[in-house]
Amino acid sequence: MPVNQYIDHTEINIASGRAINHRHIHKFGYNPDAGVNYEDIWAQGGQITFATAGHVATIASNNSNAGSEITIEGLDIDYNEITDVLLIDNSGNATGTKEFLRINRAFVSNDTPTEAVMRIQLNSVNTARIEVAHQQTMQNIYTVPAGHNAYLIQLSVGLKTKDKDGEFRLYVREHGGVFRTRDYFNMQSNFTEKNYPIPLKFPEKTDIKLQCKLTGADAGVSGTFDLILVKRR
């Protein structure tokens, strides 16, 4: 007979919101055409260009997306978390009201699915992309908000093409520094997962990216990483 309504399980307590000042961040993405040079694992392909100032988000698509509501989650110029909600107009475009420095995620948030690719831009630079198949961004890119530390507990990568060689790196830039490799591994199989019994710690305002490069012909690459985000007291 149950004697306690609560489960003594750290991961479930974090996921359910019972663990005060702790959140789970699950990042997942796909690069459909990774090549012989390092690219970020995100739907846009190539490497992201981070904004250096705050900009209002704009969405460019076509009129088949009219009526879709897009929620954008990211950071303002001071790296504080902000959210903006954009409604696609009859021309297939939208302009937000809040200025973003970083976009961490965007997704369809009403009952009108997108029917064409959406490009989300900051200062006319493609910063996120929503594919019809997923109805949200697919990007292994994340920036730690102000007042928080992030702890990496897991990452994984997968290759769409069998027996293809790949190199992967966790590419990280702490605020005021340069991007440098914080983990690296080769892969000659279709899937690899790595867990961190002692998590890697990343302070506030840190940019985190999962990158890949392949030998030979281009191929699709997927990836995930999981963070525990802890509010600093």
Side-chain angles (χ1 to χ4, degrees):
M1 176 182 295
V3 296
N4 194 329
Q5 65 176 319
Y6 300 109
I7 300 173
D8 188 16
H9 190 293
T10 299
E11 290 80 3
I12 291 178
N13 287 336
I14 292 173
S16 65
R18 293 194 188 111
I20 298 173
N21 296 325
H22 290 64
R23 281 186 285 157
H24 173 224
I25 304 297
H26 177 57
K27 295 299 297 179
F28 51 96
Y30 181 70
N31 184 324
D33 202 30
V36 297
N37 297 310
Y38 272 114
E39 298 186 27
D40 299 331
I41 302 180
W42 68 321
Q44 181 68 31
Q47 295 192 29
I48 191 171
T49 299
F50 285 117
T52 57
H55 300 283
V56 170
T58 59
I59 296 177
S61 60
N62 65 50
N63 58 12
S64 65
N65 288 330
S68 289
E69 178 187 88
I70 307 300
T71 295
I72 301 175
E73 299 175 343
L75 309 177
D76 67 13
I77 190 64
D78 295 314
Y79 290 85
N80 295 310
E81 292 179 287
I82 57 172
T83 299
D84 203 359
V85 180
L86 285 65
L87 185 66
I88 306 301
D89 63 23
N90 289 332
S91 66
N93 303 313
T95 300
T97 59
K98 298 181 180 180
E99 291 190 344
F100 286 86
L101 181 70
R102 297 286 187 271
I103 293 176
N104 279 333
R105 194 185 307 273
F107 55 92
V108 177
S109 51
N110 67 353
D111 61 357
T112 304
T114 63
E115 297 183 8
V117 171
M118 287 188 176
R119 298 177 302 280
I120 303 172
Q121 300 181 329
L122 297 179
N123 196 30
S124 300
V125 175
N126 291 332
T127 308
R129 180 184 179 99
I130 296 178
E131 301 277 352
V132 175
H134 304 294
Q135 301 292 307
Q136 80 139 52
T137 49
M138 299 282 288
Q139 53 186 58
N140 285 124
I141 301 167
Y142 183 76
T143 301
V144 182
H148 295 76
N149 293 319
Y151 297 86
L152 180 71
I153 58 174
Q154 178 271 351
L155 65 78
S156 68
V157 292
L159 294 174
K160 186 175 181 179
T161 303
K162 184 178 180 181
D163 299 327
K164 193 172 188 63
D165 294 344
E167 296 180 37
F168 298 84
R169 68 182 180 185
L170 185 68
Y171 213 39
V172 175
R173 178 176 63 187
E174 294 188 11
H175 188 60
V178 300
F179 274 104
R180 63 187 179 96
T181 301
R182 300 294 292 271
D183 205 347
Y184 170 90
F185 50 96
N186 292 307
M187 191 166 106
Q188 293 180 311
S189 61
N190 289 91
F191 179 79
T192 294
E193 180 180 15
K194 184 168 185 178
N195 296 294
Y196 296 86
I198 300 177
L200 301 185
K201 177 184 176 181
F202 303 116
E204 64 175 3
K205 307 178 183 180
T206 296
D207 294 316
I208 304 169
K209 306 195 297 181
L210 188 56
Q211 294 190 322
C212 65
K213 68 176 181 178
L214 308 177
T215 58
D218 295 356
V221 176
S222 61
T224 70
F225 62 81
D226 288 277
L227 303 164
I228 301 299
L229 191 65
V230 181
K231 187 174 182 180
R232 293 159 55 181
R233 300 176 183 177

